[in-house]
Amino acid sequence: MKKLSSIMVALLMCSLTFAQQALWGGAPVVSPEIHDDNTVTFRLKAPKAVKVQLTGDFLPTQKITTPMGEFDGPGFADLKEGKEGVWEFTTSTPLQPELYSYSFIVDGLRMMDPSNVYAIRDVATVTNVFIIGGERADLYKVNKVPHGTVRRMWYNSPTLDMDRRLTVYTPAGYETSGKRYPVFYLLHGAGGDEEAWINLGRTSQILDNLIAQGKAQPMIVVMTNGNAWQEAAAGESPKGFVAPSMRPEERAKAPEGGFELSFPEIVKFVDKNFRTLANKKNRAIAGLSMGSFHSCNISKLYPDMFNYVGLFSGASAKNDKSTSPVYADFEGKLKVQFDKKPALYFIACGKTDFVMKGVTDFRKLLDEKGYKYEYLETDGGHIWKNWRIYLTEFAPKLF
């Protein structure tokens, strides 16, 4: 009987082995492989391919023209075919610490790296990701520190006449501390949604690490959906698995300034459902690109709501054609806001960002009026690398 049991176990192990080989297609291809010197090798098994390329934000940039303007896009590199149809490319120089994204292009067709299960969606583009650790990039990693909690929640917006979804980060210990916390409202850019900052921006990792290091105060971070026509991120609403897009025809359906006008509903919901310090002194708002535009307008529309304001790669400007109360009397609202002396007004932009002119013009106005602000200028353009940097610089200045 004992001998029979041993034979059965051996047969079972053989079956599992064959099953695993069938499932994974034999020996795996390692990609990306990060070497000790921080050079990286990418591999793809494609024996029938004619041409395989790599595109990623660590390669030399190229100019891309869009309806929103010209900006720096990811570059391209050719892979060389080796044994058994495995194509390979190794970076010529070590990569600096950062979170990087990439994908392959096989005979003109963009595809994911089948050897890398880690990916992030940005609007309708999905790319693989990897991290080169060290320096600031260590803030983007999950380290052995106390971790906060991330919730997806729904609230009702009478102004927009729908239930809407948002993402909320609460710091480590929130559930048991009994304390009240300041709140930081963090807004995404055009094409983004309530998933953008938590995924692409690495918000929870950054806050966990900054708080653990004593560089930032424990705070609640609320990441909203700034698309006034949208209930939630693509695939997360009753509309089902719709394709993510900018959808200009849907944007046109939203009331002008609707998101800004409805923002107090978000603040009310958060103050009701979380232990917050519900006053101006303990509230901050910041955003990237479109979220910067929203943050600028919301903070001056409600000058008694936020004491800290961050504008990442964008700002607002006069709009004499608008009939919305949000955009009327631009300079008048700005004066009221600065007369109330916000604790911090922070502006940041990349040197080659296509919004730089607008940011420069806005700064010129602030300088002419004598309004105090802090300014940070970085290399690069309208990219998540910069927005993660700005978050790591802005959060420690709060509260």
Side-chain angles (χ1 to χ4, degrees):
M1 185 69 180
K2 185 175 181 180
K3 183 177 181 181
L4 181 61
S5 297
S6 298
I7 293 173
M8 292 296 291
V9 169
L11 288 171
L12 178 59
M13 292 302 294
C14 287
S15 300
L16 288 173
T17 300
F18 284 123
Q20 289 297 311
Q21 287 178 345
L23 180 62
W24 301 116
V29 172
V30 177
S31 180
E33 182 180 1
I34 302 172
H35 304 290
D36 291 341
D37 64 352
N38 284 350
T39 58
V40 182
T41 297
F42 302 85
R43 299 183 180 94
L44 178 69
K45 188 169 185 178
K48 295 183 180 181
V50 175
K51 184 177 183 179
V52 178
Q53 290 182 297
L54 175 75
T55 180
D57 54 10
F58 46 87
L59 296 169
T61 60
Q62 62 174 0
K63 291 293 181 183
I64 296 177
T65 302
T66 74
M68 298 177 65
E70 187 177 74
F71 62 95
D72 292 334
F76 295 85
D78 293 326
L79 280 73
K80 292 183 178 180
E81 187 175 10
K83 295 181 179 179
E84 298 181 357
V86 175
W87 297 72
E88 185 174 297
F89 170 81
T90 300
T91 59
S92 59
T93 58
L95 299 186
Q96 295 300 308
E98 184 53 66
L99 171 69
Y100 293 103
S101 64
Y102 72 98
S103 57
F104 291 124
I105 300 175
V106 181
D107 295 337
L109 177 65
R110 184 184 292 268
M111 64 174 288
M112 305 290 289
D113 184 346
S115 300
N116 184 357
V117 300
Y118 301 105
I120 292 179
R121 176 183 67 84
D122 190 6
V123 194
T125 301
V126 180
T127 56
N128 291 109
V129 293
F130 65 95
I131 292 179
I132 299 292
E135 301 173 9
R136 192 190 301 268
D138 283 343
L139 294 175
Y140 309 155
K141 297 167 62 178
V142 177
N143 296 308
K144 291 184 178 181
V145 299
H147 302 298
T149 301
V150 178
R151 301 168 174 85
R152 272 71 172 185
M153 303 180 71
W154 291 81
Y155 72 98
N156 181 258
S157 172
T159 300
L160 300 177
D161 191 27
M162 67 176 80
D163 289 335
R164 309 190 76 237
R165 189 171 179 257
L166 45 73
T167 300
V168 182
Y169 164 90
T170 50
Y174 172 86
E175 289 80 3
T176 58
S177 71
K179 297 178 181 178
R180 292 188 174 274
Y181 295 83
V183 186
F184 173 22
Y185 292 85
L186 185 57
L187 314 185
H188 64 80
D193 48 55
E194 73 277 13
E195 297 290 316
W197 267 111
I198 203 68
N199 291 330
L200 292 149
R202 306 290 285 183
T203 304
S204 60
Q205 292 85 356
I206 289 171
L207 267 295
D208 280 351
N209 291 318
L210 286 176
I211 292 169
Q213 294 172 13
K215 294 179 180 178
Q217 294 294 324
M219 67 185 80
I220 297 168
V221 183
V222 179
M223 290 152 277
T224 61
N225 187 313
N227 306 313
W229 66 92
Q230 194 176 54
E231 294 162 296
E236 300 292 345
S237 78
K239 291 182 179 180
F241 294 155
V242 297
S245 76
M246 306 292 276
R247 288 194 175 83
E249 70 281 1
E250 290 195 20
R251 294 169 67 97
K253 297 177 183 177
E256 188 179 20
F259 180 66
E260 292 95 325
L261 290 169
S262 69
F263 208 83
E265 296 165 354
I266 297 173
V267 175
K268 182 178 179 181
F269 172 82
V270 172
D271 286 342
K272 180 180 179 180
N273 288 276
F274 293 89
R275 296 193 312 276
T276 67
L277 293 166
N279 54 55
K280 175 180 178 177
K281 181 181 177 182
N282 290 286
R283 288 198 197 104
I285 188 170
L288 70 92
S289 193
M290 180 183 78
S292 174
F293 174 84
H294 284 155
S295 298
C296 182
N297 285 313
I298 291 168
S299 64
K300 62 186 176 60
L301 184 63
Y302 308 107
D304 294 316
M305 192 171 284
F306 301 100
N307 209 27
Y308 302 83
V309 180
L311 311 182
F312 307 162
S313 301
S316 186
K318 294 180 182 179
N319 186 351
D320 297 331
K321 296 180 180 179
S322 173
T323 59
S324 171
V326 174
Y327 311 121
D329 191 20
F330 179 88
E331 290 192 22
K333 287 190 179 74
L334 202 61
K335 182 179 186 306
V336 171
Q337 180 180 12
F338 277 91
D339 282 348
K340 292 177 179 289
K341 301 187 184 319
L344 174 66
Y345 204 90
F346 178 87
I347 302 172
C349 194
K351 293 177 182 177
T352 59
D353 198 316
F354 67 88
V355 302
M356 176 58 87
K357 183 181 185 306
V359 171
T360 301
D361 290 344
F362 184 68
R363 289 179 57 215
K364 183 178 179 181
L365 173 63
L366 297 181
D367 291 337
E368 289 173 350
K369 300 295 183 180
Y371 301 151
K372 293 183 179 179
Y373 63 92
E374 291 188 20
Y375 179 62
L376 172 65
E377 190 168 287
T378 54
D379 293 328
H382 215 67
I383 52 176
W384 273 102
K385 175 184 177 181
N386 273 337
W387 302 324
R388 286 188 291 269
I389 290 173
Y390 303 158
L391 177 59
T392 65
E393 293 292 325
F394 185 69
K397 299 176 183 289
L398 303 179
F399 317 122

